[in-house]
Amino acid sequence: MRTSELIKQAYDLAKAQYADLGVDTEEAIRKMKAVNISLHCWQTDDVGGFETPDAALSGGGIQATGNFPGKARNISEVKSDLEKVMSLLPGRQRLNLHAIYGDFQGEKVDRNQIEVKHFQSWIDWCETQEIGMDFNASCFSHTRAADGYTLSSKNEENRQFWVEHVKRCRAISSEAGKQLGSPCVHNTWIPDGSKDTPIDRNGYRALLKKSLDEAFETVYPKEYMKDAVESKLFGIGVESMTVGSHDFYLGYAIKNNILICLDNGHFHPTEQVGDKISAVLQFVDEILLHVTRPIRWDSDHVVTLNEDIQLIASEVMRNDFLDRVNIGLDFFDASINRIGAYVTGTRAAQKAFLIASLEPTNQLKEMEEAGKNFERLALLEELKTMPFGAVWDYYCLQERVPVGTDYISEIQQYENDVLSKR
Ligand code: RNT
Ligand code: ZN
């Protein structure tokens, strides 16, 4: 374990090195205040939720792999896990809750019956934690989703059931945002699609549009809640057609001026979400990011500091887009300690944003505009080996959270004391 003296010494050297490039490390650290990552409750229990009877994860290609011991079994365990996670992260986060995590008190409450009262204890918890809350309709893991269709279902009863669910989720979101004094982003993702070549692509998409129009009919103040819609390329079992494709939702979001949610596991493997940010922000006010790590497909691996996430963060910071980009995480790995996975993935995302705020963007832009493209390339390469780690460590020290590898033993301790006893 390094002493704080050593961490500061390394930081001072790094600070001088960055200053040499015209980068103010203090300013970069200050910018991190506005990077508020929404923590997805579903990493603690593999997207299970706490409905009665228990809804198992199924359909649409969302699947957590692995069965590492220690999965959260109830709301208080999720809260304890989230508190542990937050204690190991610098800065302030938000909670991202799915509707299946309601506080149902053992009562059977179907998705078309949920109310604010089922989420009041979560809102209260957010208040105590002094964090904002985001929310998600849960249009999966349900008998009415068993045939693979929800909002685009040709079964009118099912379609209406899901419309009602989304309506209620939006009302809950608005109330959460109102109570917490921070707008709640409500995200709609549905698994709807077809394993084999469908005939009526148009029919399903027309139904989805109709359902969204109905579900989004009530307008809530933007200070309370904001709607986002999340597209997907394909899911396991729905390889031939996804009703809510990117074209569909981008069109819907632009037309209705709502948020488009870009999940970086939901595109062709060589497409980069980082490139899409400045494209879609020409046409919508805000976006929501689902930061994840796809391996060959939408596998929701733990986020690591790779080039994809780096481009996403750089594009946000270069353009001062933090007030238009809402950042959420979306990974679920049950094959390793879930809380370790959670913290590692979130810290990786945070590192990407800190690295991005340490970029001498103006200098790079000037080179670009002067046609000095060799110089641009060389500087970008040199930046990769700048002592970013020293700045990150100092930031963690300042924020009074474990520096460097120190959080590993904290996770081991939590595994011994808490997770292994579940
Ligand atoms: C699924 C979507 C969606 C879910 C969560 C649980 O492919 O990414 O965002 O992962 O809502
Ligand atoms: Zn997602």
Side-chain angles (χ1 to χ4, degrees):
M1 198 164 161
R2 282 167 295 160
T3 60
S4 41
E5 202 38 54
L6 214 55
I7 294 160
K8 278 183 198 146
Q9 277 175 18
Y11 172 70
D12 285 339
L13 288 174
K15 185 179 171 173
Q17 239 176 296
Y18 276 107
D20 206 37
L21 290 177
V23 174
D24 179 349
T25 50
E26 304 284 324
E27 174 66 17
I29 291 174
R30 255 195 308 277
K31 281 187 186 161
M32 290 301 287
K33 266 201 173 12
V35 178
N36 308 122
I37 296 184
S38 199
L39 299 176
H40 55 317
C41 67
W42 53 94
Q43 165 58 22
T44 62
D45 79 325
D46 316 338
V47 212
F50 304 116
E51 287 180 316
T52 323
D54 198 9
L57 175 70
S58 68
I62 32 173
Q63 44 200 73
T65 30
N67 56 357
F68 199 87
K71 173 175 163 175
R73 295 162 301 178
N74 50 52
I75 291 178
S76 77
E77 290 181 352
V78 174
K79 285 180 182 163
S80 144
D81 287 355
L82 287 169
E83 284 166 23
K84 187 73 212 173
V85 169
M86 288 192 287
S87 75
L88 301 176
L89 300 172
R92 183 159 302 290
Q93 291 78 43
R94 301 173 60 84
L95 167 69
N96 199 5
L97 198 66
H98 243 289
I100 46 177
Y101 290 78
D103 195 350
F104 302 119
Q105 308 273 340
E107 204 189 315
K108 164 108 184 83
V109 184
D110 212 343
R111 309 257 173 107
N112 61 345
Q113 297 167 336
I114 55 168
E115 293 173 47
V116 172
K117 68 173 185 199
H118 302 117
F119 298 89
Q120 190 57 51
S121 61
W122 276 113
I123 301 173
D124 295 343
W125 180 78
C126 286
E127 182 134 37
T128 352
Q129 300 294 320
E130 296 177 44
I131 60 173
M133 181 177 135
D134 299 310
F135 200 62
N136 302 262
S138 308
C139 303
F140 50 82
S141 306
H142 193 280
T143 46
R144 287 193 187 269
D147 66 356
Y149 293 91
T150 61
L151 290 176
S152 73
S153 180
K154 290 194 176 186
N155 174 326
E156 183 59 13
E157 222 180 86
N158 285 350
R159 193 186 70 80
Q160 278 182 21
F161 173 88
W162 291 112
V163 167
E164 183 60 28
H165 175 60
V166 176
K167 278 187 181 172
R168 284 169 179 257
C169 288
R170 295 181 67 243
I172 293 162
S173 301
S174 175
E175 182 58 27
K178 185 179 173 185
Q179 286 190 33
L180 295 168
S182 166
C184 172
V185 178
H186 175 260
N187 185 44
T188 303
W189 172 78
I190 58 166
D192 301 28
S194 172
K195 180 172 174 71
D196 222 329
T197 314
I199 301 303
D200 195 14
R201 294 173 198 258
N202 179 58
Y204 288 111
R205 292 198 167 118
L207 280 168
L208 177 54
K209 179 175 178 294
K210 180 176 171 204
S211 295
L212 292 173
D213 288 347
E214 289 168 14
F216 293 174
E217 206 182 342
T218 306
V219 179
Y220 295 101
K222 272 201 158 57
E223 314 88 77
Y224 296 168
M225 72 86 71
K226 299 184 271 198
D227 281 296
V229 283
E230 180 180 6
S231 70
K232 188 160 177 167
L233 178 64
F234 84 100
I236 300 289
V238 287
E239 291 85 357
S240 294
M241 187 242 346
T242 296
V243 183
S245 58
H246 185 54
D247 312 66
F248 177 92
Y249 280 129
L250 186 58
Y252 195 86
I254 292 170
K255 192 160 183 192
N256 296 283
N257 197 21
I258 59 169
L259 283 63
I260 179 86
C261 169
L262 302 174
D263 180 314
N264 64 306
H266 290 190
F267 295 89
H268 284 282
T270 57
E271 272 184 273
Q272 286 176 307
V273 160
D275 179 63
K276 296 179 189 296
I277 294 172
S278 62
V280 304
L281 280 179
Q282 306 298 327
F283 303 102
V284 290
D285 290 343
E286 287 184 44
I287 61 169
L288 168 64
L289 295 175
H290 267 191
V291 180
T292 186
R293 178 165 53 111
I295 305 247
R296 300 185 188 275
W297 67 290
D298 180 36
S299 57
D300 289 292
H301 279 68
V302 181
V303 171
T304 55
L305 186 54
N306 62 18
E307 285 201 352
D308 289 343
I309 168 79
Q310 196 53 72
L311 182 64
I312 291 172
S314 298
E315 281 296 306
V316 174
M317 300 312 272
R318 278 171 190 158
N319 299 297
D320 242 334
F321 277 156
L322 274 177
D323 54 347
R324 299 177 63 193
V325 176
N326 302 273
I327 311 161
L329 301 166
D330 190 10
F331 54 84
F332 25 100
D333 191 338
S335 70
I336 57 176
N337 179 314
R338 289 173 187 76
I339 306 312
Y342 214 151
V343 175
T344 303
T346 314
R347 282 173 72 118
Q350 292 181 309
K351 283 178 188 164
F353 279 91
L354 183 57
I355 292 179
S357 59
L358 288 165
E359 181 185 89
T361 307
N362 289 339
Q363 206 180 321
L364 284 160
K365 210 159 127 192
E366 275 163 25
M367 287 171 173
E368 182 165 287
E369 284 166 3
K372 294 185 172 172
N373 292 343
F374 145 67
E375 290 82 349
R376 180 187 62 186
L377 178 71
L379 181 50
L380 281 172
E381 278 305 289
E382 285 309 307
L383 285 171
K384 289 180 182 169
T385 51
M386 287 290 285
F388 149 74
V391 183
W392 166 254
D393 288 346
Y394 180 71
Y395 171 48
C396 290
L397 183 74
Q398 265 194 342
E399 292 281 317
R400 299 173 205 282
V401 298
V403 173
T405 53
D406 291 353
Y407 79 92
I408 298 175
S409 53
E410 293 240 12
I411 297 280
Q412 288 169 332
Q413 190 73 40
Y414 191 66
E415 183 172 325
N416 287 339
D417 298 349
V418 182
L419 301 177
S420 66
K421 307 222 161 86
R422 287 182 183 164

